[in-house]
Amino acid sequence: MPDPAELRVLDTAVELFRAAAREFVNRASQAVKDKGRFCVALSGGSTPKRLYSLLAGSEAKAVPWDRTYFFFGDERHVPPDDPESNYRMVNEAMFSKAPVPPGNVFRIHAEKDATLAAQEYEETLRKFFDLAPDQAPRFDLILLGVGPDGHTASLFPGSAALDEAKRLVVVNWVEKFKTDRITFTFPVLNNAAFVLFLASGADKAGILHEVFDNPAAGLPSQRVRPEHGKLVWMADREAAGRTRRAS
Ligand code: 6PG
């Protein structure tokens, strides 16, 4: 039975991202000590940008960059220089500022046909993790965010990818944005050793209240329950303020 989600509430956004950076560095050091490498899947959107900036800035000395392998949990169907691109956001906040070996970054080639990009990325995962046909990769850390509708990665309520039980990476049509996204599926998210959700700001208070106080809501972000891993939500007080646990 997966462990229940742990909710860590930090008073301010500054404290939240510092705590997230410390957790990132802890996971990295532990994985490198145990296995010689640290495999992390990054989240997109706006929330994690401050974490990436911290890792490339004040925390840079503590990150084993040469032993860290960066993947993406999802991507918008746009080229890597597009303002909407998650890769672009991470590149500007971290990769361009830290000693990251280019061979350690595995971006989703979302400039291509979405189906092809998803298939290629699944192949990249299968090769890198040397997976058997029915096996999913085990990331040391997967970073996730949550949208106001309870989506995470690009697993949106009512979308087809929610039911994917075999493939690791799929194209997912998002009706409300009238666009395709390329996203990890639950088999990947729920096989991680550690999943860290980040939520910051008052505009996340409603959805965190739903996620934590209405377990039957069946939201995509509630379906992330690592089978043999740890699930931690880190939020600032503004975001967690309406949850029973934080009040
Ligand atoms: C994306 C993300 C998505 C994000 C949430 C929250 O590509 O947009 O993977 O799941 O984490 O939409 O986004 P914000 O951090 O911008 O609120």
Side-chain angles (χ1 to χ4, degrees), residues 126 129-137 166 168 191:
R126 290 193 174 287
F129 287 94
D130 192 21
L131 300 175
D134 59 352
Q135 214 183 349
K166 286 212 166 331
L168 310 177
N191 197 43

Side-chain angles (χ1 to χ4, degrees), residues 10-19 50 200-201 236-238:
L10 292 303
D11 283 336
T12 65
V14 169
E15 289 169 78
L16 166 65
F17 292 107
R18 276 212 196 106
R50 289 172 70 174
S200 175
D236 55 26
R237 198 148 297 283
E238 279 197 324

Side-chain angles (χ1 to χ4, degrees), residues 56-177:
S58 57
E59 303 298 321
K61 284 199 177 52
V63 179
W65 298 103
D66 61 335
R67 300 293 186 87
T68 299
Y69 296 86
F70 296 95
F71 293 81
F72 286 78
D74 73 323
E75 186 57 281
R76 291 86 181 273
H77 190 210
V78 293
D81 58 356
D82 187 285
E84 282 294 304
S85 165
N86 286 338
Y87 170 77
R88 175 175 164 173
M89 180 270 287
V90 180
N91 189 41
E92 287 172 354
M94 183 164 64
F95 296 154
S96 61
K97 298 195 173 92
V100 180
N104 288 27
V105 175
F106 297 87
R107 75 175 178 85
I108 298 173
H109 292 216
E111 66 274 21
K112 296 182 177 178
D113 166 81
T115 305
L116 179 61
Q119 283 164 353
E120 282 186 357
Y121 207 57
E122 173 146 348
E123 271 326 297
T124 299
L125 291 177
R126 290 193 174 287
K127 212 154 129 246
F128 180 89
F129 287 94
D130 192 21
L131 300 175
D134 59 352
Q135 214 183 349
R138 184 165 172 79
F139 279 94
D140 301 302
L141 175 64
I142 295 185
L143 294 172
L144 290 173
V146 60
D149 59 1
H151 79 262
T152 191
S154 283
L155 298 168
F156 285 79
S159 64
L162 296 175
D163 306 322
E164 181 58 51
K166 286 212 166 331
R167 284 178 293 164
L168 310 177
V169 186
V170 295
V171 182
N172 199 25
W173 174 256
V174 183
E175 182 57 30
K176 69 175 182 180
F177 299 144

